[in-house]
Amino acid sequence: MARILIAGCGYVGQELGLRLVREGHSVCGLRRGAGQLPAGLRGFSADLTRPETLGDLPGPFDVVFYTAGADRRSEAGYRSAYLQGLGNLIGTLQEQNPPVRRLFFTSSTAVYGQSGGEWVDENSPAEAGHFRGQLLRAAEQVLLGGPIAGAVVRVGGIYGPGRHRLIDSVGRGDACCFEGPPRYLNHVHRDDCAGALAHLMELDSPRSLYLLVDHEPAEQCQVLRWIANRLKVPAPPRVSPEAGKPARGTKRCRNTRLADSGYAFRYPTFREGYAAVIAGEGG
Ligand SMILES: NC(=O)c1ccc[n+]([C@@H]2O[C@H](COP(=O)([O-])OP(=O)(O)OC[C@H]3O[C@@H](n4cnc5c(N)ncnc54)[C@H](OP(=O)(O)O)[C@@H]3O)[C@@H](O)[C@H]2O)c1
């Protein structure tokens, strides 16, 4: 049994926590509103951006997941949720004896600046042109250059029960396929996100960096059409990129390192994942 802290215990963190409890681990979920955690998860209310609230953290912990997400998309929101929050938690945990065995940080595939459909993996340059990717990258470096053994997990777009924006937009008829360079969706189902994190925790010597996306970066239009077909609604129309906005492409993320480490996806592509969400599974 490991003693585990999930800091920023939200959509993914709760699923991860419940899974680890079922596996017999002792789990503490930290968030500002710990009263919102589901039954079965022990909670601790604290604000990661306010170190004084972390003083009574009930440790020690063997493994820590930092899965907090910014609740504002502004530069200040990103800076406090990722750089400041992660730094504060490391500062609190670095004195722990025995030391934390490993701290996993869920970063994002937004750290990549590639936009021409290139394949990217853990060896690709991660030089995003926007502050979101840059601040996430800076937080990764704080972890990997810090006193606690860390691993960064760059997660793609998470969907699943309760997070089905694409399905809703296709169902309402307001989804569009944009002409221009292909836009690839690098997605992962919530349960695979939690499953892969639980899997990485069990590795004897995890690498310091993993991409966490499913097996198939799929063109946005292909996904929308597949969903429309499933919902038996008209296929989304093809439209020119929004007026005044440059045609925007994306990268394709490769998950070979994670797959080679032995993780078997429950939802290997958007087809299995979205079929499950449309069927209302796992709510
Ligand atoms: N969602 C995506 O598509 C996506 C894509 C790439 C990477 N990621 C990363 O994957 C991780 C998990 O994502 P998610 O969708 O599960 O996130 P989420 O649902 O937004 O959960 C984040 C949790 O963090 C808590 N939190 C936020 N600020 C906090 C603070 N200052 N102190 C303490 N707790 C705080 C929030 O709870 P309270 O409000 O109660 O504090 C929230 O429940 C995040 O690190 C995110 O950045 C997500």
Side-chain angles (χ1 to χ4, degrees):
M1 182 201 76
R3 297 160 297 186
I4 296 165
L5 173 67
I6 302 178
C9 196
Y11 186 62
V12 168
Q14 290 181 25
E15 186 62 27
L16 173 64
L18 292 172
R19 173 183 296 247
L20 293 173
V21 166
R22 284 196 299 274
E23 290 174 5
H25 298 292
S26 159
V27 180
C28 175
L30 179 157
R31 58 186 290 177
R32 288 163 300 192
Q36 298 168 55
L37 290 173
L41 276 188
R42 191 160 50 93
F44 180 76
S45 281
D47 184 340
L48 291 157
T49 65
R50 294 173 49 219
E52 70 277 12
T53 67
L54 299 170
D56 296 328
L57 201 54
F61 300 104
D62 303 306
V63 178
V64 176
F65 294 93
Y66 191 93
T67 53
D71 42 24
R72 289 169 290 147
R73 284 183 68 78
S74 63
E75 186 164 344
Y78 264 61
R79 191 175 291 283
S80 70
Y82 297 111
L83 264 181
Q84 209 185 327
L86 182 59
N88 290 339
L89 188 64
I90 293 172
T92 302
L93 293 174
Q94 68 179 347
E95 303 301 338
Q96 182 191 289
N97 194 11
V100 172
R101 218 164 59 217
R102 185 117 13 226
L103 197 167
F104 292 90
F105 167 49
T106 48
S107 180
S108 165
T109 55
V111 296
Y112 294 106
Q114 290 84 337
S115 60
E118 305 94 319
W119 283 94
V120 299
D121 65 14
E122 291 81 359
N123 295 313
S124 308
E127 295 162 355
H130 50 76
F131 71 82
R132 289 184 297 281
Q134 290 166 355
L135 287 170
L136 281 159
R137 184 90 180 87
E140 293 180 355
Q141 283 160 343
V142 164
L143 174 64
L144 297 179
I148 298 177
V152 168
V153 184
R154 292 179 179 157
V155 185
I158 304 166
Y159 69 94
R163 286 219 182 150
H164 31 66
R165 191 178 49 81
L166 279 189
I167 297 173
D168 295 345
S169 67
V170 172
R172 284 194 307 267
D174 55 19
C176 300
C177 293
F178 289 105
E179 286 168 351
R183 297 183 186 199
Y184 293 97
L185 303 180
N186 296 284
H187 273 179
V188 61
H189 189 286
R190 175 201 66 184
D191 294 359
D192 276 320
C193 197
L197 291 171
H199 158 82
L200 290 174
M201 183 192 104
E202 299 292 351
L203 297 182
D204 286 337
S205 310
R207 306 285 294 268
S208 60
L209 177 61
Y210 291 90
L211 253 69
L212 174 42
V213 292
D214 71 19
H215 290 299
E216 188 181 326
E219 268 196 69
Q220 179 229 22
C221 194
Q222 184 192 0
V223 178
L224 296 179
R225 289 190 169 162
W226 186 92
I227 294 172
N229 191 37
R230 269 285 160 138
L231 297 179
K232 299 187 173 32
V233 300
R238 273 200 170 275
V239 300
S240 310
E242 295 139 275
K245 291 198 180 165
R248 193 169 54 90
T250 54
K251 73 271 173 183
R252 282 182 271 187
C253 296
R254 208 190 292 282
N255 68 7
T256 308
R257 179 176 287 181
L258 175 63
D260 286 352
S261 78
Y263 182 67
F265 279 80
R266 179 165 179 201
Y267 302 107
T269 76
F270 72 88
R271 295 176 198 80
E272 296 82 12
Y274 277 111
V277 177
I278 290 170
E281 290 170 18

